[in-house]
Amino acid sequence: MNQRLEVMLANGDKAERYSSRIEEVTDEYLIIAMPMSKGYPVFLSLGDNLHVRIVDNGTAYQFTCTLVSKKLHPLPVWVVTRPREIIKVQQRSFVRVRTALPVEISIFDNETAQFSNSFQACSRDLSGGGIQLVSKEALDLGMKVQLAFELPEAGLIVVNGEVVRIEKPHHDRDIFWIGIKFLDLAERERSKIIRYIFKKQLEDRRKGL
C-alpha cells in the first residue's frame, strides 16, 4: 500500500513514463493511482497492457499488467491485473541487455571537425546510456565517435559517443570489446532504445534466457 511505482506506456515510437502508487491489493487485482500528465488523466483503453517498474527493498522489478477498469470515486484509480512477466532489473542508471545489431562507426577528425573513416562493427549489449561493441578495429579511450544502427520497429538511431572502455577477450586476439557512452542523446531517441530493451527483456524471459 502507498508504494511508489512507474508506469511505462508505448506512445508511437516513444515510451512515456508516469508516476503512480499502489492504493490497494486484492487477490485478483492491483488498484493504482490513475497516472496524470500536465494535470489530466493519462488515456489508456480497457484491455490495453501497461509496463510497470517498482523498487522493493533496494531491488528493481519490471512487470506487465492489463487495464481492467477505471474508477473516479473516491479517488481516480486504475484497476489492473496482478503482475505477470516479472523481471528483476539491474540497479544502474539504465538497464543493459545483450543484443547483436550491425553498427556503423565514424571517427571524429579533430583537424576537419567532422566524422569520417567509417567502419562496421556489431553490438554486444545496449542500454539507454551507451553501447558495447564487438570490433576488429581498435579505438582509443576518450575518442569521439558517431554511431548509426537500426532498431527493429523503431528505425535508424544516429548518436555521438565517447569511448570509455576497451577490453580484449582472451579467446580472440583479433577482437576488441569497446564500451561507448552516448553523448547528448535526444530523449525521443533514448525512449526508442529503452522501449526496444524492455521488449527484448520480455522476449528473452519467454525463451528462458
Side-chain angles (χ1 to χ4, degrees):
M1 295 286 291
N2 295 318
Q3 189 164 9
R4 294 288 176 177
L5 51 84
E6 184 178 57
V7 175
M8 295 173 284
L9 301 176
N11 181 11
D13 57 5
K14 297 189 293 182
E16 304 286 359
R17 295 166 177 257
Y18 306 97
S19 296
S20 181
R21 67 182 178 275
I22 297 175
E23 297 288 358
E24 187 180 346
V25 180
T26 72
D27 291 338
E28 296 182 78
Y29 305 112
L30 289 181
I31 292 86
I32 66 174
M34 188 176 292
M36 307 292 285
S37 176
K38 299 179 180 179
Y40 293 93
V42 172
F43 176 77
L44 189 68
S45 298
L46 299 185
D48 283 354
N49 290 332
L50 58 147
H51 305 305
V52 178
R53 184 178 187 274
I54 195 168
V55 178
D56 183 55
N57 293 324
T59 302
Y61 299 90
Q62 290 179 183
F63 52 84
T64 302
C65 298
T66 301
L67 180 61
V68 175
S69 67
K70 305 175 185 179
K71 297 181 180 180
L72 296 177
H73 302 286
L75 295 172
V77 296
W78 283 357
V79 180
V80 303
T81 58
R82 292 292 290 257
R84 63 181 186 276
E85 299 172 333
I86 302 172
I87 299 172
K88 182 177 178 181
V89 298
Q90 304 166 37
Q91 280 288 69
R92 60 170 77 181
S93 298
F94 298 101
V95 177
R96 186 177 297 271
V97 295
R98 288 290 183 93
T99 185
L101 300 168
V103 181
E104 182 177 352
I105 306 167
S106 301
I107 300 172
F108 185 75
D109 188 325
N110 290 316
E111 292 185 3
T112 63
Q114 294 181 338
F115 290 99
S116 58
N117 300 322
S118 299
F119 63 93
Q120 296 290 323
C122 181
S123 68
R124 185 167 182 258
D125 58 46
L126 176 67
S127 79
I131 191 170
Q132 187 178 54
L133 302 175
V134 179
S135 171
K136 292 184 178 181
E137 302 284 343
L139 296 177
D140 298 325
L141 286 174
M143 183 176 285
K144 299 297 191 297
V145 297
Q146 186 175 78
L147 310 174
F149 54 92
E150 291 272 354
L151 286 181
E153 301 179 13
L156 179 66
I157 302 290
V158 179
V159 57
N160 295 343
E162 178 183 352
V163 178
V164 294
R165 187 175 65 257
I166 300 174
E167 299 178 55
K168 200 166 178 56
H170 297 298
H171 62 272
D172 196 331
R173 296 181 180 179
D174 299 324
I175 291 294
F176 298 90
W177 290 347
I178 302 173
I180 295 176
K181 176 178 67 175
F182 295 149
L183 300 176
D184 303 321
L185 179 62
E187 284 307 311
R188 186 172 186 272
E189 302 299 281
R190 197 188 309 278
S191 293
K192 293 180 183 180
I193 294 173
I194 292 172
R195 184 182 177 200
Y196 167 77
I197 288 170
F198 188 75
K199 291 178 67 175
K200 186 75 167 55
Q201 285 180 306
L202 295 179
E203 290 171 2
D204 289 347
R205 182 172 176 81
R206 292 190 188 107
K207 295 175 183 176
L209 300 179

